Amino acid sequence: MKRFVMTLAILTLVSNVFAGERSNLVSNLKAGKQQTLVVYGTSLTAAGAWVGQLQKVLNEQYPGQATLINSGEGAMWSKWGADNLDTRVIQKKPDTVLIEFAINDAYLDYKTSVAEARSNLTNMIDRILASKPETEIILMTMNPPIGVHLERRPGIKDYYQMYRDVAKERNLLLIDHYANWEPIMEKDKTLFAKYVPDGIHPGPEGCTRVITPAILKGLGIKAEPPAGGDGKPAPQP
């Protein structure tokens, strides 16, 4: 019963946070246009089961219209993101880009301050828009790390707040996964451990229950997230 109530609370929170207009991606798909979506970030994207789950929904609702490219890379952060932006993102000519690097920007060994992470993020945003001004850019905060992963990222909340600030300043859509993960972590540690078994990477069930519903809601897609998911990245054309 406790976990049922928690799941209901999560879905309610997602609904409250992301109620509003659908994304340009979905508006264009509904209009019958071909769309390319690039997801760009850390291992939470590169090996995230949510990518395959999202692709499955897009294929079901808009068959043959949506190309999803996973340009994430494990263990990378925003400096790498800015350095590889041309080949990983701009050359794909995306209509929509989802970006998340904050969890590794906060990694102490990378010695990247919040200010530097912000500069890297705004650099990516500016270059994407300079290349194709109509591109829709969506920022994402991700889950909280725990245990040794949190010890290596003690300032993670500040990096996530920076993403919120940049999204507000630039009028970008923000999908704030952290706001959905935090109550699970605080109220049901056993459930959090089930969803994030290694303390930092959500597994397929965690994506099904928390990440993918928030992305679907944020984009304006009415669909149940697919169960499971193998975590394999979408192919790069």
Side-chain angles (χ1 to χ4, degrees):
M1 177 61 71
K2 181 179 180 181
R3 292 189 181 183
F4 173 79
V5 172
M6 178 58 67
T7 300
L8 180 62
I10 294 166
L11 293 177
T12 301
L13 178 58
V14 168
S15 216
N16 288 340
V17 171
F18 299 111
E21 296 293 327
R22 70 173 67 101
S23 67
N24 292 340
L25 173 72
V26 172
S27 296
N28 288 331
L29 289 171
K30 284 181 175 292
K33 299 178 181 179
Q34 297 287 324
Q35 293 289 283
T36 296
L37 167 63
V38 172
V39 295
Y40 198 42
T42 68
S43 58
L44 301 185
T45 292
W50 64 267
V51 179
Q53 293 169 2
L54 174 59
Q55 185 170 40
K56 184 176 180 180
V57 172
L58 291 172
N59 290 345
E60 289 173 349
Q61 294 207 9
Y62 307 102
Q65 286 182 244
T67 299
L68 195 162
I69 302 170
N70 191 340
S71 287
E73 185 71 24
M76 295 298 109
W77 71 112
S78 63
K79 182 181 184 304
W80 176 91
D83 289 345
N84 291 273
L85 189 72
D86 288 341
T87 56
R88 291 274 183 156
V89 177
I90 291 175
Q91 289 181 12
K92 312 298 183 185
K93 302 184 184 304
D95 299 289
T96 298
V97 182
L98 271 66
I99 301 176
E100 63 84 13
F101 282 104
I103 200 161
N104 281 349
D105 282 332
Y107 185 48
L108 292 176
D109 285 4
Y110 289 163
K111 296 180 171 59
T112 303
S113 68
V114 174
E116 290 169 325
R118 181 189 179 101
S119 177
N120 291 334
L121 178 59
T122 56
N123 174 280
M124 287 187 276
I125 293 168
D126 289 342
R127 287 164 58 199
I128 291 169
L129 294 177
S131 173
K132 189 178 177 184
E134 67 272 24
T135 304
E136 177 180 39
I137 298 173
I138 301 172
L139 305 185
M140 297 199 300
T141 68
M142 302 303 283
N143 53 284
I146 61 172
V148 66
H149 302 292
L150 178 58
E151 292 172 7
R152 295 168 179 167
R153 298 165 175 83
I156 184 63
K157 289 186 178 181
D158 295 332
Y159 291 83
Y160 283 157
Q161 184 58 47
M162 180 269 287
Y163 266 57
R164 297 183 189 106
D165 293 342
V166 170
K168 183 176 181 180
E169 292 167 11
R170 303 295 295 263
N171 196 29
L172 304 176
L173 178 62
L174 171 76
I175 300 179
D176 194 353
H177 296 292
Y178 186 90
N180 296 333
W181 281 108
E182 190 173 36
I184 306 174
M185 180 181 65
E186 292 180 348
K187 297 177 183 178
D188 194 339
K189 290 181 170 55
T190 301
L191 184 60
F192 185 88
K194 180 182 179 183
Y195 287 170
V196 190
D198 68 353
I200 191 169
H201 300 97
E205 185 176 3
C207 290
T208 298
R209 298 294 184 184
V210 184
I211 293 180
T212 305
I215 292 174
L216 294 177
K217 189 67 179 179
L219 294 177
I221 297 174
K222 294 182 179 180
E224 292 293 326
D230 58 13
K232 293 181 180 178
Q236 287 200 46

